[in-house]
Amino acid sequence: MKRTIINPDVISKVITVSPDISLAHATDLMIKSGTSCVVAVDGGKPAGIITERDVVRFLFQGIPISTTKVRETMSSPVATAKSDIDIYEAYHITETNNIRHIVITDKSGGISGVVTQSDIIKNLGLDFSEIRKVSVVMTKGLVMV
């Protein structure tokens, strides 16, 4: 069976930050760069992640983003994968861990980008924009192990 590798074109650039900057600064970087997350780096390795959804949740909870550090609120550990990960495995990681971002690393563990669940779905060629009956898209064969 041929492996389906994530298309390098769907791996987004990543904005890395120190875990000690404020959430406000991290949010500003996300806005200015047009990205949906920032990755906190410690010792050259991903230490945590803050996403747009996190920031909205923090604001709703009344967390003062101007005085709260990324370190205090980042999701950690970060889901990472090598750039040659099978696309179905990447999708499985997002679904199993209920996450939307995977940090893509190089062979030495350095950060080379981020792939989102939306990127993976697009890469798989799935289109959820039209409503169809389940019977049209379901697998009719049943495999039992």
Side-chain angles (χ1 to χ4, degrees):
M1 178 187 208
K2 182 181 175 239
R3 286 192 63 203
T4 306
I5 308 295
I6 290 180
N7 183 337
D9 295 337
V10 301
I11 298 174
S12 303
K13 73 175 189 172
V14 63
I15 303 299
T16 59
V17 298
S18 163
D20 296 316
I21 70 165
S22 71
L23 283 173
H25 187 197
T27 301
D28 188 48
L29 290 171
M30 276 190 270
I31 292 167
K32 286 180 179 171
S33 66
T35 59
S36 61
C37 68
V38 293
V39 176
V41 176
D42 194 12
K45 305 289 184 205
I49 188 168
I50 298 284
T51 68
E52 292 171 318
R53 285 183 176 195
D54 293 332
V55 173
V56 170
R57 189 176 73 250
F58 300 150
L59 290 170
F60 179 75
Q61 293 171 344
I63 293 173
I65 67 169
S66 60
T67 57
T68 303
K69 295 187 184 302
V70 167
R71 173 182 309 285
E72 299 168 35
T73 54
M74 66 188 186
S75 297
S76 183
V78 182
T80 62
K82 301 282 186 215
S83 60
D84 64 349
I85 187 172
D86 180 282
I87 191 163
Y88 297 102
E89 185 180 348
Y91 183 75
H92 178 73
I93 290 169
T94 63
E95 283 298 302
T96 303
N97 296 292
N98 195 28
I99 58 172
R100 297 187 43 82
H101 297 79
I102 300 173
V103 174
I104 302 300
T105 59
D106 58 25
K107 290 179 178 150
S108 65
I111 301 169
S112 58
V114 172
V115 66
T116 67
Q117 188 177 46
S118 299
D119 295 333
I120 294 167
I121 290 170
K122 285 178 195 169
N123 200 203
L124 284 169
L126 303 177
D127 182 7
F128 296 108
S129 62
E130 61 182 83
I131 298 176
R132 297 179 267 177
K133 289 184 177 183
V134 171
S135 62
V136 174
V137 295
M138 71 181 196
T139 301
K140 294 184 172 76
L142 178 63
V143 177
M144 294 177 59
V145 177

